[in-house]
Each structure stands twice: as structure tokens, then as C-alpha cells.
Amino acid sequence: MKFHYSVLAVVSEILAGDGAAAQNSGLREVDGDTVTRTEVGGSDMGSDIDACPVFSTYPENINEIFSYLDAVEPCGHYEAAGCPYEVIPASVTYPGEGPGDLQFIPYITQFDVGLHQTVEAFIWSGASDDQKEKFIGTPNGGETCLEIIVQAGNSGDDATLGGCAGKCGAGCIVGGGWAKDCLKHDVCVTYKNFLLDIHKLDTPPHGFCSDLDCGDEAAQTVMNCFDASWATDESIMCDEQSFEENSSAYGFWSATLRNPTWRHGRCYYYANWARGQGIPGESRISNDFPHLTDVESQGVDNSILRGK
């Protein structure tokens, strides 16, 4: 049985369950009412009376994990509730690292699980059995957009797996800067990890762009867009309308993808505006798709990578 059936069903039952289910899961029961947003460790973990819970520290026990999971809502929920934080949309690719891209403040961070319908068939067919077993989306169901309020930071105790929420690279690894796209990926991986095994705090899913749920967020972290200039090219948001209006706009894959020792997965599968990830097609990307022979060896028609 795949996790998208077993784990999601169990979690949803517990989060909406009765007192007995709450006690078994580690949630508290007060006067007969299940408290699903427990006030553990102060306001960092949120509370059941807080409409805008901000997560700034990593869950340390099962109770805090369920508090984290319970705070994950459908996209648009927190803005509609009046929460005063900037929204980082799931389907937008941001300029990248650098001043102004990500500050150490709370963000309504959106991500999606599942596969976009335009890529599902060929990405699923090339996925490993391990990745298929860890898929938490709905088969043939497209993507589900979710959000949670997380504070970006530079501490190993931040609210995402490995710490340093929003830092590009694994956890607090030296070398990567901070970026909104990296915060989306951090949050997606953290959420998926908790669903896959809610009783372990340090067993992340692997795969980067090959991850069937968080692979699109991973691809966004290695794509940057620019406006060509006679002096210094300006970093811009990857936006289809802007590209249509500006012929000098272009995308650029990170040099990270050309490192043969790093298992980057299939980031280039998400290129093309039609894929829904805010990434331009090959004709508007200035550097070649890295390791295109990898795609060809899997029997994938290269025409799927073409686009505006």
C-alpha cells in the first residue's frame, strides 16, 4: 500500500479524531476537546487559539509534529484569515540568492504535493520504486497546493529539516545562500518527512528533483532568470508575461547541475511554462540542459522539453 493512502488517511483521522485517538497520538485533551495545535514551547509552535501560527523552531516530539501538521492548510487560507505575512507562492520561481530575496522573518510558505498533470506520465514512468513508495500525492490527481507559516533563519534549530530554514543546500551546509525557492523546498521536504514517518524526526525523503512531490520545488531552486543588459544582467522573477513582453529576459540553470558527483535528479523536466512551475522553456534558457543524454537514455522524447 502506498503512503498516499495509508499515511494520509491515518494522519487525517488523528487530526480530526476523538479523545482516544488524541491520547494515542500524543495530542492533549482538555475538557473533552482535542487540542490539535498544542501550546508547546511557547508561541513558536502555535496554539489552538492562534489563527496565524508561526513556526520558528523544529518539532522535538510527536506532539509538536502533529501541531506542525495541523497548521498546514490549503493555499490561500492564511491570507484569507488576515495573517500579516508575505506569501511565497508555490508556482513562482524567484530571482535567487541575494539581498532582499529572503529575510529572517515569517512567510506564508506555499508548496505542492503530487505531480502536475502535464508531467505526470513521463516523470512517474521514470521514477524508482522507492520514489513511488514515498509518493504522498494522489495518482492522476494533479498537484495539491498547501501552505504553512515558517520563519526563515540561520539556526540549526529552525523549523525545517536540518535547520537554517531557507538556506540553499542541505541544512546549514556551508556554501549556499538563502532564497525563497529554497524555503519552499525546505518546507515541502519537512512536511513530507513527517507524513512518511511521524515517529522519526531525522529521516528525510531523498531525491531532490527526482522526488515525486518536492521535485518541482527543487527545480525552482536551481533556475534563475535575468534581464540581459549591456552592463550587468539584472536578476528578475521568472514570469511568463514578463518574458512575453521582454525579449531580453532569459533563464539560466545553476552550475550545480553540472557537477557529476551530485545526484540532481531530473530538474529539467519541469522546464516550460506549461509545467506550472514558473520555469521557461529551453528556447528562453541560455545554457543547455545539463546531462540531456540522461533524458535520452530513459527514452524520453526531447520535444517535451521545448517551449517558449
Side-chain angles (χ1 to χ4, degrees), residues 128-150:
S128 67
D129 290 340
D130 180 60
Q131 289 295 344
K132 291 178 180 179
E133 285 293 329
K134 292 179 179 178
F135 182 56
I136 63 173
T138 302
N140 303 311
E143 295 178 307
T144 299
C145 188
L146 302 170
E147 67 183 22
I148 187 172
I149 306 175
V150 170

Side-chain angles (χ1 to χ4, degrees), residues 224-226 236-251 273 280-281 284-285 308:
N224 293 304
C225 291
F226 300 89
I236 60 173
M237 189 176 297
C238 299
D239 177 75
E240 183 175 9
Q241 183 175 349
S242 297
F243 269 61
E244 290 177 352
E245 297 173 351
N246 183 3
S247 61
S248 64
Y250 68 93
W273 302 119
R284 298 298 295 273
I285 296 177
K308 296 181 179 179

Side-chain angles (χ1 to χ4, degrees), residues 55 68 71-76 78 85-90 102 105-112 145-152 160 165-166 179-188 217:
F55 291 82
Y68 189 103
V72 176
E73 300 282 2
C75 288
Y78 287 116
Y85 306 114
E86 179 183 346
V87 177
I88 302 179
L102 190 75
I105 59 176
Y107 291 92
I108 300 174
T109 308
Q110 297 184 347
F111 61 99
D112 44 52
C145 188
L146 302 170
E147 67 183 22
I148 187 172
I149 306 175
V150 170
Q151 179 164 322
T160 55
K180 290 177 180 176
D181 290 333
C182 293
L183 181 59
K184 286 186 289 186
H185 182 249
D186 286 349
V187 170
C188 183
E217 284 83 9

Side-chain angles (χ1 to χ4, degrees), residues 235-298:
S235 295
I236 60 173
M237 189 176 297
C238 299
D239 177 75
E240 183 175 9
Q241 183 175 349
S242 297
F243 269 61
E244 290 177 352
E245 297 173 351
N246 183 3
S247 61
S248 64
Y250 68 93
F252 189 88
W253 289 112
S254 169
T256 305
L257 296 184
R258 297 185 179 280
N259 184 345
T261 65
W262 190 62
R263 299 295 297 174
H264 55 78
R266 299 170 292 174
C267 302
Y268 31 79
Y269 277 19
Y270 293 99
N272 193 321
W273 302 119
R275 307 285 184 260
Q277 311 307 326
I279 298 177
E282 183 186 20
S283 64
R284 298 298 295 273
I285 296 177
S286 67
N287 54 342
D288 295 334
F289 282 88
H291 312 300
L292 198 56
T293 53
D294 176 48
V295 179
E296 297 169 340
S297 69
Q298 297 180 47

